[in-house]
């Protein structure tokens, strides 16, 4: 592969993580970037990730072999016409948006189908911005590639190569099928999580007891409700043609569950939990989703002076970094008293082995 110069329009969480991944895999690569917040570009330059800061969509983009559109989804399409005059012969244009139909329609309208291949790295975090990007955010995450009707196989292969370079798992899909799939597995769950959080907010008592007790399972299934409201508004509004029928189907399933409860139909409720458990247990645990994986477990320790300090010393002696640590007040699902979160899977595994040596009771 001869691609050595990469351009980024937008350098937030995903763009920054792709750029970091490319820098890690290809140290001699040249990376150019533009975004409205110049201070973040200056930080990326200081970090050694960006070689050249661009002042806008300018002539310098002619140097790029691949240009990544990493702005919010509603802006990516607008950048297409601005970039078009600066595409050199053989340059490839791609985006990283969570919805693909709008951008593909714009590409077709502008006659750019032969130089564009869409993409969607399926990873993310509750946190946003370049400052939260990492060179491993996209490791083992699916990197969806959505060709146009005129995309060349060699250009598709170039994006597959980039995905593999940053340790992602490339999958080629029709962009329409992509949007239908993510409506069900990503966009609708975000709406559900947010609506569940608002249900607690609206029905809690004045003392806020629901909020106080909302941990364990509730915390886990609503974690994605902490994501950026601006970003998810844009994502949902650019995929309504898929999201609306998915939501209607989901509401229909809730109506059936409600009817079963009203009719005291225990068999139907058992079937709901049984079939969902069986299907859920068939999911792969190796690939990441649209949020960072949760590298954490709980420890069953006695609440006494020095207990946490002792545990921390055991881990620090082995050079294991702790991302977060907190008391788990709600343990309805059998969790331990102390929840520990780590930055990556290797630290989590090392901590688990180390604490097991000291006979701590650990719960995943």
């Amino acid at each position: 592969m001869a691609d050595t110069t990469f351009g980024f329009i937008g350098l937030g969480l995903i763009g920054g993580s792709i750029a970091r991944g490319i820098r890690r895999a290809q140290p001699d690569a040249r990376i150019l970037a533009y975004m409205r917040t110049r201070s973040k570009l200056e930080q990326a330059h200081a970090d050694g990730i960006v070689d050249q800061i661009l002042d806008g969509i300018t002539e310098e983009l002619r140097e790029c072999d691949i240009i990544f559109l990493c702005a919010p989804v509603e802006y990516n399409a607008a950048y297409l016409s601005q970039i078009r005059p600066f595409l050199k012969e053989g340059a490839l244009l791609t985006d990283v948006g969570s919805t693909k139909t709008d951008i593909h329609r714009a590409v077709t309208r502008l006659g750019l189908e032969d130089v564009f291949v869409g993409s969607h790295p399926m990873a993310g975090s509750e946190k946003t911005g370049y400052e939260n990007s990492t060179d491993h955010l996209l490791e083992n995450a699916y990197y969806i590639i959505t060709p146009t009707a005129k995309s060349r196989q060699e250009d598709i292969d170039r994006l597959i190569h980039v995905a593999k370079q940053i340790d992602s798992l490339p999958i080629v899909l029709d962009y329409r099928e992509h949007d239908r799939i993510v409506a069900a597995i990503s966009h609708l769950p975000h709406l559900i999580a947010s609506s569940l959080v608002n249900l607690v907010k609206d029905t809690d008592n004045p003392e806020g007891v629901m909020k106080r007790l909302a941990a364990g399972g509730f915390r886990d299934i609503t974690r994605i409700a902490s994501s950026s409201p601006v970003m998810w508004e844009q994502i949902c509004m650019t995929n309504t043609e898929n999201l609306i029928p998915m939501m209607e189907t989901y509401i229909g399933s809730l109506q059936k569950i409600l009817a079963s409860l009203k009719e005291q139909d225990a068999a139907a409720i058992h079937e709901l939990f049984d079939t969902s458990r069986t299907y859920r247990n068939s999911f792969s645990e190796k690939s990441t989703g649209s949020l960072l994986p949760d590298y954490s477990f709980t420890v069953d320790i006695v609440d006494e002076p020095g207990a946490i300090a002792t545990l921390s010393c055991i881990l620090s002696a082995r050079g294991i970094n702790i991302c977060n640590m907190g008391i788990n007040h709600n343990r309805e699902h059998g969790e331990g008293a102390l929840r520990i979160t780590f930055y990556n899977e290797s630290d989590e595994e090392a901590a688990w082995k180390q604490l097991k040596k000291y006979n701590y009771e650990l719960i995943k």
Side-chain angles (χ1 to χ4, degrees):
M1 294 292 178
D3 298 320
T4 59
T5 304
F6 303 88
F8 286 83
I9 309 302
L11 200 72
L13 178 71
I14 298 300
S17 295
I18 294 173
R20 288 179 184 273
I22 290 173
R23 177 65 72 205
R24 181 190 63 186
Q26 200 173 331
D28 295 332
R30 181 164 173 76
I31 297 177
L32 293 68
Y34 165 72
M35 67 185 303
R36 294 181 179 181
T37 310
R38 189 174 178 87
S39 61
K40 294 186 179 182
L41 289 177
E42 291 171 348
Q43 182 59 56
H45 184 266
D47 292 341
I49 303 302
V50 170
D51 296 292
Q52 183 175 351
I53 296 174
L54 303 179
D55 294 322
I57 309 303
T58 56
E59 186 76 24
E60 288 88 346
L61 288 174
R62 292 189 190 278
E63 302 174 26
C64 297
D65 300 308
I66 301 179
I67 298 175
F68 293 86
L69 290 170
C70 304
V73 289
E74 67 176 7
Y75 299 129
N76 280 339
Y79 279 121
L80 288 172
S81 58
Q82 298 178 50
I83 293 172
R84 186 177 185 175
F86 304 119
L87 290 174
K88 71 177 183 180
E89 183 70 25
L92 176 62
L93 186 59
T94 188
D95 78 315
V96 298
S98 300
T99 57
K100 312 311 307 174
T101 300
D102 276 10
I103 191 78
H104 272 269
R105 286 173 178 168
V107 163
T108 301
R109 187 170 62 251
L110 293 169
L112 292 169
E113 289 180 281
D114 57 337
V115 297
F116 179 86
V117 178
S119 63
H120 174 205
M122 294 191 70
S125 169
E126 301 96 327
K127 299 178 181 179
T128 60
Y130 168 79
E131 62 273 19
N132 292 302
S133 64
T134 71
D135 65 0
H136 56 271
L137 178 72
L138 304 177
E139 285 184 359
N140 297 317
Y142 288 119
Y143 198 108
I144 309 301
I145 295 170
T146 59
T148 71
K150 297 181 180 179
S151 293
R152 299 177 300 173
Q153 185 58 50
E154 62 190 81
D155 286 338
I156 299 171
D157 291 340
R158 289 164 72 184
L159 267 191
I160 290 174
H161 177 70
V162 170
K164 290 181 176 179
Q165 269 194 320
I166 61 177
D167 296 324
S168 294
L169 308 172
I171 293 181
V172 179
L173 285 178
D174 177 86
Y175 68 88
R176 290 162 290 243
E177 180 65 2
H178 166 276
D179 281 3
R180 189 185 73 86
I181 290 170
V182 295
I185 66 170
S186 178
H187 305 168
L188 181 59
H190 274 80
L191 290 171
I192 293 169
S194 295
S195 66
L196 282 173
V197 171
N198 284 340
L199 175 68
V200 169
K201 177 180 70 70
D202 295 339
T203 59
D204 205 353
N205 60 28
E207 291 74 32
V209 175
M210 279 190 187
K211 179 181 178 181
R212 184 177 178 183
L213 299 181
F218 187 86
R219 177 198 58 216
D220 291 340
I221 65 174
T222 60
R223 186 164 65 102
I224 53 179
S226 296
S227 300
S228 166
V230 174
M231 179 182 74
W232 279 98
E233 173 199 346
Q234 294 172 358
I235 290 172
C236 289
M237 296 311 295
T238 55
N239 200 25
T240 54
E241 61 188 82
N242 290 289
L243 190 50
I244 289 171
M246 283 294 178
M247 179 169 279
E248 289 174 339
T249 301
Y250 178 66
I251 290 172
S253 70
L254 289 179
Q255 293 287 4
K256 291 180 180 179
I257 295 169
L258 178 60
S260 296
L261 291 171
K262 287 181 176 180
E263 295 166 7
Q264 297 289 302
D265 188 346
I269 298 302
H270 180 274
E271 177 72 5
L272 166 70
F273 289 123
D274 186 51
T275 57
S276 63
R277 181 186 66 171
T278 300
Y279 189 63
R280 174 63 179 82
N281 288 343
S282 71
F283 290 5
S284 171
E285 299 293 339
K286 295 182 179 180
S287 61
T288 61
S290 59
L291 286 179
L292 285 172
D294 184 17
Y295 300 121
S296 65
F297 54 78
T298 59
V299 187
D300 193 14
I301 62 173
V302 177
D303 184 8
E304 60 184 16
I308 294 177
T310 300
L311 185 148
S312 299
C313 288
I314 291 172
L315 297 182
S316 63
R318 287 287 180 175
I320 300 170
N321 292 323
I322 296 174
C323 176
N324 198 10
M325 182 184 293
I327 301 299
N328 188 17
H329 295 289
N330 185 336
R331 284 174 271 160
E332 60 184 341
H333 296 287
E335 298 99 331
L338 184 70
R339 188 174 187 86
I340 313 176
T341 303
F342 303 90
Y343 288 100
N344 52 57
E345 185 177 14
S346 60
D347 278 350
E348 180 193 10
E349 292 177 350
W352 182 281
K353 291 178 182 178
Q354 187 67 8
L355 293 177
K356 276 292 188 182
K357 290 180 181 178
Y358 285 82
N359 298 317
Y360 281 94
E361 183 176 350
L362 310 179
I363 303 97
K364 180 61 177 169

